[in-house]
Amino acid sequence: MIRFLELAGKPIIAICEEFGRIVLLLFSAIGWLLRPPLRLRVIIKQMEFVGVNSLSIVMITGAFSGMVFALQSYYGFRMFGGEGLVGVTVALAMTRELGPVFTALMVTGRAGSAMAAELGTMRVTEQIDALYTMSVNPVQYLVLPRILAGTLMLPVLTIICDFIGIAGAYFVGISLLKINSGIFMSRIYELVEMEDILNGLIKSAVFGLILSLVGCYKGFYTKGGAEGVGKSTTESVVYASVAILISDYFLTAVMFR
């Protein structure tokens, strides 16, 4: 029995330890946020990497998400003559859920994995250790700019994803499904509230924090050479994606009662 409890408890203890190290890394980064110098050039470079370089993939994801959701909504609403609700359904889905979640998952795959790979390579080649010898704190120089970039740029990317998604739904609804454009747009103006958009952006900021923190954590504590870098990169995408989906449920339960 004791042996069984030991075997069952080890994974739980390991998860708790890893979660504790992630939280400590976050607190350490927040602490450096309040201490000069704030390396604006490095932060802007990371914002470009996370935001501008992710723009194309986010736009493609948003466009086709809106278009396919418009098709599915139309087929459902057509059964009881509610085709005019397609626009507002897509708009609410994009602003509340699809925009923030899809954007976060796309950026996790592109930028979050790159953060883990870059920091992991620096760790195994002892470049992070070299920063200590030059009196440069690696959390301030490497981790903080990436976390700030992820947290600040995800809402911007989400706004673009929402807009492109609704535009894609408008194209499908008006051009292909022959829905009245006045009804399509008027329902959106009537039923989509600013609160829906703002709550979606708050969710996206939280997702940005999660993906950048997990990516930095997995890279920062990489060990095991090139094999370890590959493992950390994969784990950063898996862990961040799962954490985003789990946190999405709780945020939705709190924000959209």
Side-chain angles (χ1 to χ4, degrees):
M1 185 63 181
I2 295 176
R3 179 63 177 166
F4 172 76
L5 292 176
E6 286 180 353
L7 292 174
K10 280 184 178 179
I12 298 175
I13 293 173
I15 293 172
C16 292
E17 287 179 347
E18 193 153 29
F19 181 75
R21 286 198 293 267
I22 292 176
V23 173
L24 288 176
L25 182 63
L26 175 61
F27 284 161
S28 178
I30 293 174
W32 280 106
L33 178 63
L34 306 175
R35 298 168 60 182
L38 190 62
R39 302 177 185 277
L40 287 177
R41 180 175 297 180
V42 181
I43 294 172
I44 292 172
K45 183 179 178 182
Q46 290 301 321
M47 290 174 71
E48 179 186 3
F49 173 71
V50 174
V52 178
N53 295 353
S54 301
L55 200 55
S56 58
I57 191 171
V58 167
M59 291 176 69
I60 293 171
T61 302
F64 283 94
S65 299
M67 292 166 70
V68 74
F69 199 67
L71 282 176
Q72 293 289 6
S73 301
Y74 176 80
Y75 297 143
F77 287 131
R78 188 177 55 180
M79 291 188 289
F80 53 88
E83 294 90 337
L85 294 173
V86 169
V88 68
T89 302
V90 174
L92 286 173
M94 289 302 301
T95 54
R96 288 184 172 194
E97 294 296 334
L98 299 183
V101 173
F102 283 176
T103 300
L105 294 179
M106 290 299 105
V107 176
T108 297
R110 200 200 69 78
S113 60
M115 292 178 188
E118 187 177 5
L119 295 189
T121 302
M122 294 181 70
R123 170 62 74 184
V124 299
T125 55
E126 300 182 350
Q127 294 180 58
I128 291 179
D129 297 328
L131 290 175
Y132 284 112
T133 64
M134 294 185 292
S135 300
V136 176
N137 188 287
V139 175
Q140 182 197 25
Y141 186 70
L142 299 174
V143 176
L144 178 60
R146 287 168 171 79
I147 291 178
L148 280 177
T151 307
L152 295 175
M153 293 311 297
L154 255 291
V156 177
L157 292 171
T158 299
I159 291 174
I160 296 171
C161 184
D162 292 346
F163 178 78
I164 296 294
I166 295 171
Y170 181 88
F171 170 76
V172 171
I174 308 306
S175 302
L176 304 181
L177 305 176
K178 307 303 179 186
I179 298 173
N180 184 282
S181 61
I183 295 176
F184 187 98
M185 294 305 300
S186 64
R187 293 290 171 83
I188 294 177
Y189 290 135
E190 290 172 7
L191 299 176
V192 177
E193 299 179 357
M194 185 58 68
E195 184 181 359
D196 298 318
I197 300 172
L198 292 178
N199 284 341
L201 297 182
I202 292 171
K203 289 170 68 173
S204 67
V206 175
F207 297 159
L209 172 64
I210 290 173
L211 74 89
S212 56
L213 179 61
V214 172
C216 289
Y217 168 76
K218 298 304 295 185
F220 197 77
Y221 292 103
T222 294
K223 54 185 176 182
E227 184 180 352
V229 174
K231 184 180 178 183
S232 295
T233 304
T234 304
E235 288 181 348
S236 71
V237 176
V238 175
Y239 289 2
S241 299
V242 172
I244 286 168
L245 295 176
I246 293 174
S247 63
D248 180 52
Y249 169 79
F250 291 104
L251 289 170
T252 300
V254 172
M255 290 178 172
F256 301 105
R257 294 181 177 178

